[in-house]
């Protein structure tokens, strides 16, 4: 069947299997073109089917020769309906990594459930015995409590005051003002429950109790801080509370695994186009401007460049892990450079629907978004039938 992008409200409902496989190959090629990483060899990635988790997996597999087991939640396709991109990504990655002689498997299940943890631990024992790294890269709007089944929903809202800022509709190319009402108290705790560190800690506890963690075990989760512009809705909003919790959890996990010389870090990453970030108001417009400025300065990176740099230069650099005063790895170091942020502030006000194309890199935003779903590659003939299963 011929499959085309179908985008509604910032969400693309379709995915192209051959395009997804090509996107994976391009990330693999990037990593193979870089110096080898002397890093983890037996890795569990939770949330490794798309975005930062996927690029972490590719960096460690093809950079460090790691075997990887991935847990993610993706929908299969049917003859008429494409699967989610992560489904095609997992299949392509597992095939390509196995062909390169690496252990590579994916479990398609809800990572928040105890049952999935049990299944994963059983598979770790069979594949690796023990693991030396856990990458925890989930982004989800909801989380069922694993004990009670109660469903918690996260929200992206400011605290205290209404937030008003410009936002873009990338498909229409229009810039409009959006206002987001502040969260009430009752919306903060569920957001922390979904996107904070509770589930990360549950994974580490279950893995340690099952005795599948190597001496010197390392674990990572990802966070974001961002510019003044998005501060009220992101870092100082409901999601920021969850990220504070995630960062505090890193310290708790480090204590919890200290007897095996383990360590947990949060890495603060750059704002990039992923399936999760594209639905956050204001962020796509900020990303479009940021990309333009970072490209002008020759410091633009995508997910794979970020994750490769993290492992090669911040973690497995031959010395100690590079962290800030609060113990966090900073991959947003170039995004947050004073000269970059000064340009963001200087140019933000001049962006309108009319100036969008000239003043931002909206084209890269749109093309990155399509590529996440396997579309927009010159190498692929999208008029050709493709098997969606
Ligand atoms: P993404 O949407 O590309 O990936 C999310 C992953 O979580 C996917 O593999 C998906 O299958 C998995 N997932 C979601 N619910 C699941 C469930 N119930 N069970 C199993 N797997 C599930 O997101 P991303 O942008 O790569 O985000 C990953 C992390 O990076 C998040 O913590 C996010 O806050 C952080 N981060 C993102 C950005 C950005 O700009 N995208 C910047 C900094 C930090």
């Amino acid at each position: 069947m011929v499959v085309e992008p179908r985008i509604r409200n910032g969400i693309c409902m379709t995915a192209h299997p051959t395009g997804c496989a090509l996107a994976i190959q391009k990330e693999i090629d990037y990593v193979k073109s870089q110096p080898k990483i002397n890093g983890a060899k037996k890795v569990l990635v939770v949330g490794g089917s798309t975005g930062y988790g996927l690029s972490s997996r590719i960096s460690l597999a093809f950079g460090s020769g790691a075997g990887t087991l991935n847990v993610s939640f993706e929908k299969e396709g049917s003859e008429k309906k494409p699967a989610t991109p992560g489904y095609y990504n997992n299949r392509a990655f597992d095939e390509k990594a196995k062909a390169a002689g690496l252990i590579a498997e994916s479990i398609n299940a809800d990572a928040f459930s105890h049952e999935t943890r049990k299944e994963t631990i059983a598979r770790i024992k069979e594949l690796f015995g023990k693991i030396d790294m856990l990458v925890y890269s989930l982004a989800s709007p909801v989380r069922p409590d694993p004990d009670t089944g109660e469903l918690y929903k996260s929200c992206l809202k400011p605290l205290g005051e209404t937030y008003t800022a410009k936002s873009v509709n990338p498909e229409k190319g229009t810039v409009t003002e959006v206002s987001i009402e502040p969260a009430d108290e009752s919306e903060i705790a569920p957001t922390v429950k979904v996107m904070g560190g509770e589930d990360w800690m549950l994974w580490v506890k279950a893995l340690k109790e099952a005795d599948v963690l190597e001496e010197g075990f390392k674990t990572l989760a990802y966070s974001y801080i961002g510019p003044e512009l998005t501060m009220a809705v992101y870092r100082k909003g409901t999601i920021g509370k969850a990220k504070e919790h995630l960062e505090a959890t890193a310290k708790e996990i480090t204590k919890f695994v200290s007897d095996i010389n383990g360590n947990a870090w949060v890495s603060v990453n750059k704002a990039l186009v992923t399936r999760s970030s594209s639905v956050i108001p204001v962020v796509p417009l900020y990303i479009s401007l940021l990309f333009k400025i970072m490209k002008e300065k020759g410091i633009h990176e995508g997910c794979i460049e970020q994750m490769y740099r993290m492992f090669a230069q911040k973690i497995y650099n031959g010395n100690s892990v590079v962290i800030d005063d609060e113990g966090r790895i900073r991959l947003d170091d170039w995004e947050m450079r004073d000269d970059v942020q000064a340009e963001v502030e200087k140019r933000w006000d001049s962006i309108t629907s009319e100036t969008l194309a000239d003043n931002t890199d909206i084209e890269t935003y749109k093309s990155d978004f399509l590529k996440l779903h396997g579309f927009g590659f010159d190498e692929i003939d999208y008029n050709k039938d493709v098997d969606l299963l």
Side-chain angles (χ1 to χ4, degrees), residues 241-261:
K241 291 283 168 211
K243 291 300 185 191
E244 280 170 18
H245 187 269
L246 188 77
E247 290 169 21
T249 306
K251 298 199 168 89
E252 272 180 49
I253 294 178
T254 296
K255 271 191 224 140
F256 182 70
V257 293
S258 60
D259 58 324
I260 53 166
N261 288 314

Side-chain angles (χ1 to χ4, degrees), residues 22-259:
L22 180 62
I24 299 276
Q25 189 59 50
K26 284 180 185 276
E27 293 209 0
I28 292 173
D29 291 344
Y30 172 77
V31 173
K32 282 167 80 176
S33 74
Q34 300 297 311
K36 286 273 170 241
I37 302 168
N38 187 13
K41 300 287 179 248
K42 299 175 291 182
V43 179
L44 171 63
V45 186
V46 177
S49 59
T50 54
Y52 274 120
L54 172 63
S55 297
S56 306
R57 190 180 190 204
I58 294 175
S59 297
L60 287 171
F62 287 87
S64 177
T68 56
L69 176 62
N70 160 50
V71 180
S72 52
F73 211 14
E74 300 294 341
K75 283 205 187 82
E76 283 180 42
S78 65
E79 270 169 26
K80 294 250 160 73
K81 194 169 180 267
T84 51
Y87 180 86
Y88 296 133
N89 288 346
N90 287 343
R91 192 170 63 192
F93 175 88
D94 291 348
E95 274 172 23
K96 289 172 194 291
K98 279 184 191 145
L102 300 166
I103 293 174
E105 272 189 26
S106 296
I107 295 175
N108 193 18
D110 180 8
F112 294 128
S113 85
H114 292 318
E115 208 40 56
T116 303
R117 278 187 265 274
K118 271 195 214 138
E119 185 188 341
T120 306
I121 287 166
R123 207 61 200 122
I124 287 175
K125 288 182 177 165
E126 285 160 5
L127 292 174
F128 306 118
K130 294 186 178 197
I131 54 165
D132 48 15
M133 172 164 279
L134 163 67
V135 175
Y136 184 87
S137 186
L138 287 188
S140 174
V142 292
R143 173 180 169 222
D145 182 286
D147 296 318
T148 64
E150 190 181 339
L151 193 69
Y152 290 87
K153 289 187 183 159
S154 68
C155 73
L156 269 157
K157 290 189 182 175
L159 300 175
E161 284 171 33
T162 302
Y163 170 76
T164 303
K166 278 191 286 199
S167 201
V168 69
N169 178 329
E171 297 97 71
K172 293 191 180 141
T174 49
V175 178
T176 50
E177 197 126 279
V178 292
S179 286
I180 310 169
E181 293 297 314
D184 62 51
E185 278 299 311
S186 68
E187 289 174 297
I188 301 172
T191 305
V192 174
K193 183 97 181 167
V194 179
M195 287 299 286
E198 189 179 274
D199 183 65
W200 185 21
M201 185 53 136
L202 286 176
W203 269 99
V204 176
K205 280 192 174 155
L207 294 163
K208 188 158 185 263
E209 268 161 32
D211 194 23
V212 293
L213 299 183
E214 284 286 11
E215 177 78 19
F217 163 77
K218 294 179 177 51
T219 182
L220 293 168
Y222 301 136
S223 185
Y224 184 63
I225 296 176
E228 214 33 62
L229 207 62
T230 58
M231 204 49 89
V233 70
Y234 197 96
R235 192 64 198 200
K236 289 189 178 152
T238 48
I239 184 76
K241 291 283 168 211
K243 291 300 185 191
E244 280 170 18
H245 187 269
L246 188 77
E247 290 169 21
T249 306
K251 298 199 168 89
E252 272 180 49
I253 294 178
T254 296
K255 271 191 224 140
F256 182 70
V257 293
S258 60
D259 58 324

